[in-house]
Amino acid sequence: MTSTATLIRQETAYVRKTLVRDPQSLFFTVGLPLLYLFIFATIFGNQEGAVPGQPGLMDVATIMTASVIAIGVTSAAFQNLSIALVHDRENGVLKRLRSTPVPTKVFIGGHVVNALILSVLLAVGVTALGIGVYGVEFPGARIAAVVVSIVLGSLACAAAAFPFTKLVKKGSAATAMAISVTLTLFFLSGNFFPDADMPRALVVVADLFPVRHLYQCLLTAFNPNTTGSGFIWSRLGVLALWTVGGTLAGLRLFRWTPSTDN
Amino acid sequence: MSERVAIEIRGLVKQYGEHRAVDGIDIEVRTGEIFALLGPNGAGKTTTLEVLEGYRQRDAGTISVLGVDPAHPTLEWRNRIGLVLQESQMPAELTARELVTRYAGYYQRPRDVAATIELVGLSDKADARSGSLSGGQRRRLDVALALIGDPDLVFLDEPTTGFDPAARRASWSMIAALRDLGKTIVLTTHYMEEAEALADRLAIIVAGRVVAAGTPETIGGRDRAPATITFSSPVAPSLDGTTVNREGDQVSVETTDVTTVLSELIAWSDAGGGTLAALEVRRPTLEDIYLSLAETPT
């Protein structure tokens, strides 16, 4: 009998292989966020501006690095994961898997750890691109805040993906539904409008979901004018809440069998 | 491991709304045999199987599968069971070997990966992605996944539906080989030849009920049903106590006593009474029995 840790490691490797060998999923998950960074940096160039809630002025490249990391984490941990889960459920892959003695924690662990690794890799790629090409300043001592935000943001998104699959009944609808949710959240959370003062009502709505909290945490951590360690505990707290709530809801709502069964 | 009875079903009922998909089924499957559930589409075969596999909850009845109620499956129980679903897919991006290795990790006492791939005849396709395999090859890969845990009991839901005749024969020998490994096998099929070729015992299910059960040779009184002797002759014989039918030169005799009638016919022919050209003795096929039962209104 293989140990749970080994099993999760193996499962993660298979989940990663499945993603890496599927060019379409890979593009949506990895290519699209990098493309966003490139487009924004090209459009806005070296402008500097005041960002609501942030001390001092920030240049657009720094803002966009923080924004695109948030987008990347959401793509990897929520969008890609929920699409993969719905497809596997509707195709009978999960039903098949359910007949084996694989413990649920190994199955979930494989997907969540894969999402986490992918999030971190994407963040490293985006940060490297920002620093290397667009002159973004390395967050220095606030790097711990960056890492914690990414890990917690990734867990919150992954935890939300499991109950979300309950809303999607057809495999063919999975990509469209997941991307419309994430795109809406990116707009609501101000990811595409670096200097806009978003209407209060929209901010309230956006703050119900993890994306804006993650984005704000990253903005603070990447802002060279931030003093201190850069942690925003209240926002990290909301991400932790999503992680716990998503997990509990997922355990209740997640299905292994296709919607056509019963 | 040593139970004499692998599966015991008493009074199984499964209802979908007003419709009783399974309407009081009693079945016993013995350890080490191949048991077939034969019936038309929509008869309740797959529903029955999915209740046994733990996918569906029953509405009434008692069930024991390897001593466990499948409504409350345990990991230990899943270790002893392998299954092939009617429609199941695997991640298209992984190779056959990767998938079998992945599944091997889930079980306590897995079989050898290479040997299992060999058993299902996929050795030369082991490194092909499952998405590039043909339908028949994917089905065999599915069987490899069902076997990798070295299960005591294997469920096969319509294992050869959609196969060409050659692929079907190949699958039959593979399934028969599983019995030689000591596995208990429960399969569903709507092919008579398949039930006849593979099953030690079978149950015919129509509209959610078992209308007949037994061995392929004796089911539905097949061994006692009259045989038909046909031949062509310009004149028909007359036989004591047996009705002789004649259509043109085609003569047919229905009898439960084939030997006696045949010797009378040979004596009649020897005496110059007529010819026995194209003589044929036809016992009722499983299909004859099946059709007579399937047509019975319930």
Side-chain angles (χ1 to χ4, degrees), chain A residues 188-260:
Chain A
L188 270 182
S189 307
N191 286 66
F192 297 144
F193 317 105
D195 50 359
D197 220 342
M198 300 287 282
R200 180 85 203 123
L202 287 192
V203 172
V204 170
V205 174
D207 273 344
L208 295 174
F209 300 95
V211 178
R212 185 162 189 273
H213 295 289
L214 172 58
Y215 177 32
Q216 293 297 322
C217 284
L218 291 167
L219 264 182
T220 301
F222 270 95
N223 187 351
N225 310 310
T226 300
T227 50
S229 59
F231 287 97
I232 314 179
W233 295 109
S234 59
R235 296 196 182 278
L236 291 173
V238 176
L239 294 179
L241 219 59
W242 266 93
T243 308
V244 175
T247 306
L248 293 178
L251 288 174
R252 278 189 63 86
L253 298 175
F254 186 68
R255 289 180 49 124
W256 297 77
T257 46
S259 311
T260 45

Side-chain angles (χ1 to χ4, degrees), chain B residues 12 19-25 42-45 48 205-210:
Chain B
L12 172 62
H19 175 61
R20 282 205 161 190
V22 178
D23 191 10
I25 279 181
K45 304 187 299 289
T48 303
I205 299 185
V206 178
R209 289 169 187 268
V210 174

